[in-house]
Amino acid sequence: MRGVPEEIPDAESEQVLARVCAIDVAKESGMVCTRIHGPSGRRVSRVWQVAATTNAVSDLATDLVAAGVEKVTVESTSDYWRIWFYLLEAVGLDVQLVNARDVKNVPGRPKTDKLDAVWLAKLTEKGLLRPSFVPPTPVRVLRDYTRMRVDLIRDRTRYWSRLEKLLEDALIKVSSVASTLKTVSTRDMIEALIAGQRDPRALADLACGAMRGKRTALIEALTGRFDAHHGELARILLDQIDRLDTEIAKVTQRIGVLLDQIDPPPPPQPPGGRDDASVMNARRRLAEIPGINTESAQLIIAEIGLDMTRFPTAGHLVSWAKLCPRTIQSGTSLTAGKAGKGNPYLKGALGIAAATSARGKGTFLSARYRRLVKRRGKGKALVAVARSILVIIWHLLADPTTRFHDLGADYHDRRVNTIRKTNNLVRQLEALGHTVTLQPAI
């Protein structure tokens, strides 16, 4: 049996280049290798070490521009690659960042920085390296702020957990009555405890709103052994929480300013004007997806940018985000490997969006989750919903004139082949010994 040959075009990165440079990155220095044509016509490798300082890398960038280097490859080792990538990019060089896992040295060869740099340069000139996604500078700046906000929110959550553990140590069980320690009533009670109030009835009187109906339970929960050292530690924790609240508010405000530069808000519309995609920015269009709020939309834009030409299809973006299993095919055996780690900030935002949409009702995403969770489990069902959300995001960003349109919870039901399903059900009933007569519904 002879199959039909399949033509697979090369990617843009798979080009044979005449003048290339590769850098094996370390913390204090980098091993630089250039490959160009020598006097004899054969290709020659030049290898030398360059200190990882701004002046040394800037001088290297000037030399590479003068030599007419067409592409520079930088190995993504920890965060040490940044000084090389940023300074070489600033002078106009075509720089690509590659994953160190994809450029491992050939087994059987000695492992040295010099040989690694030469091997990296040879792969570069043959176009055998797949560049990593590095967003443009404005998006990188925005990403620093959004990631800082995520880290600050996580720190604040840890302080709330420490405060709850401290109250448990003082035998104060207010978290069993209140839904969270963040309510105004709970905060007033803790402040009163710090100030020296120990009467549980007086503390329970500080409740407001719906908490007033739980006065009896509050009196029992606030009866404990809260002493001076608990008050001192609680004061420290609350001050840290307040400080983080202030910093998070500042970062959020700064994110809004940066996004207005990258994704300008639409001009104000007159009363009764259009409300279509042409007068909506990307943030608003992404926030229409179930499970995605304004902060999630900001983080997603900061992680993947607005230019979807870096990802030719939605499948490329999903694969880069590691939201699809890796296909392993050998002969007639076809298995699915692990998806991989991917971008933790992007996957975290999509995971929260998937969990939020799964809890909803009447949407395509919630129906998709309920269809998958029965046979695949909660974890895989949430990953599948996160993948669907990322596919929607790609289409919205690839075409700025589109808006999100929910397919509906009955999307799969409407696509069922009713004749085939009817025949299957009839066969099942006949196999159980029944005689089936079909009559159309009136």
Side-chain angles (χ1 to χ4, degrees), residues 15-20 35-37 43 68-70 125:
Q15 300 175 359
V16 179
L17 303 173
R19 295 172 175 267
V20 298
R35 282 184 60 81
I36 58 177
H37 287 286
R43 300 187 66 79
V69 171
E70 301 175 60
E125 69 180 2

Side-chain angles (χ1 to χ4, degrees), residues 171-174 189-190 193 198-205 217-226:
L171 311 185
I172 301 296
K173 308 287 289 186
V174 66
M189 296 173 190
I190 296 175
L193 284 169
R198 299 292 183 266
D199 184 4
R201 297 181 181 277
L203 294 171
D205 290 337
L218 282 173
I219 293 174
E220 292 294 329
L222 292 168
T223 302
R225 297 182 177 179
F226 194 96

Side-chain angles (χ1 to χ4, degrees), residues 126-431:
K126 300 297 191 299
L128 298 178
L129 296 177
R130 181 176 54 186
S132 300
F133 170 64
V134 180
T137 302
V139 179
R140 291 203 298 261
V141 173
L142 174 64
R143 186 176 61 182
D144 289 340
Y145 280 97
T146 55
R147 290 183 175 183
M148 175 61 72
R149 180 172 63 183
V150 171
D151 295 338
L152 290 176
I153 291 174
R154 290 174 180 171
D155 290 341
R156 183 179 61 183
T157 302
R158 282 194 287 268
Y159 280 113
W160 280 117
S161 299
R162 291 173 183 172
L163 179 60
E164 184 172 2
K165 291 184 66 175
L166 180 66
L167 293 176
E168 290 289 338
D169 183 74
L171 311 185
I172 301 296
K173 308 287 289 186
V174 66
S175 60
S176 300
V177 180
S179 59
T180 175
L181 294 179
K182 303 175 185 179
T183 62
V184 175
S185 300
T186 308
R187 178 63 182 262
D188 291 342
M189 296 173 190
I190 296 175
E191 291 286 356
L193 284 169
I194 296 173
Q197 179 62 259
R198 299 292 183 266
D199 184 4
R201 297 181 181 277
L203 294 171
D205 290 337
L206 297 174
C208 56
M211 288 280 286
R212 290 183 176 274
K214 304 177 181 179
R215 187 174 186 278
T216 303
L218 282 173
I219 293 174
E220 292 294 329
L222 292 168
T223 302
R225 297 182 177 179
F226 194 96
D227 55 28
H229 97 278
H230 291 121
E232 185 175 357
L233 294 177
R235 178 77 275 159
I236 294 174
L237 293 174
L238 287 177
D239 289 344
Q240 292 291 339
I241 291 171
D242 292 340
R243 180 184 62 81
L244 288 172
D245 285 337
T246 303
E247 297 299 330
I248 291 170
K250 291 180 181 178
V251 172
T252 300
Q253 183 180 7
R254 182 58 179 163
I255 289 172
V257 174
L258 293 173
L259 265 175
D260 287 341
Q261 300 172 3
I262 299 173
D263 182 31
Q269 297 295 313
R274 298 181 304 166
D275 190 23
D276 55 14
S278 62
V279 294
M280 295 178 65
N281 56 16
R283 281 168 286 172
R284 288 186 57 191
R285 290 188 292 120
L286 293 186
E288 292 180 336
I289 303 173
I292 293 184
N293 55 18
T294 302
E295 291 186 358
S296 299
Q298 293 173 347
L299 190 146
I300 290 170
I301 292 175
E303 294 299 331
I304 65 177
L306 296 174
D307 182 15
M308 289 296 102
T309 58
R310 297 294 300 270
F311 306 100
T313 65
H316 285 79
L317 177 58
V318 169
S319 178
W320 173 79
K322 297 295 187 293
L323 286 175
C324 61
R326 185 167 59 96
T327 302
I328 304 174
Q329 186 262 332
S330 178
T332 58
S333 175
L334 181 63
T335 58
K338 294 183 179 180
K341 294 183 179 180
N343 185 324
Y345 292 92
L346 178 61
K347 293 184 74 173
L350 293 175
I352 294 174
T356 304
S357 61
R359 289 194 296 266
K361 294 182 179 179
T363 65
F364 168 78
L365 294 174
S366 62
R368 177 169 174 77
Y369 172 79
R370 291 180 175 86
R371 283 171 58 89
L372 294 174
V373 72
K374 299 175 183 177
R375 63 180 189 273
R376 304 295 289 177
K378 293 183 179 180
K380 291 184 178 180
L382 286 175
V383 172
V385 174
R387 178 195 178 278
S388 299
I389 293 175
L390 191 57
V391 170
I392 296 171
I393 291 171
W394 183 89
H395 285 284
L396 292 178
L397 296 181
D399 185 2
T401 63
T402 60
R403 287 183 64 178
F404 173 74
H405 172 69
D406 199 300
L407 297 176
D410 60 344
Y411 173 76
H412 294 287
D413 296 333
R414 287 187 277 109
R415 293 172 61 87
V416 170
N417 188 327
T418 56
I419 298 176
R420 179 183 299 175
K421 188 171 184 178
T422 301
N423 293 336
N424 289 338
L425 294 175
V426 169
R427 281 195 298 269
Q428 293 177 23
L429 290 172
E430 290 177 344

Side-chain angles (χ1 to χ4, degrees), residues 93-112:
L93 288 168
D94 184 7
V95 189
Q96 64 177 1
L97 183 71
V98 296
N99 195 324
R101 180 187 56 198
D102 298 336
V103 294
K104 288 181 179 178
N105 204 347
V106 178
R109 293 179 58 186
K111 174 68 176 69
T112 65

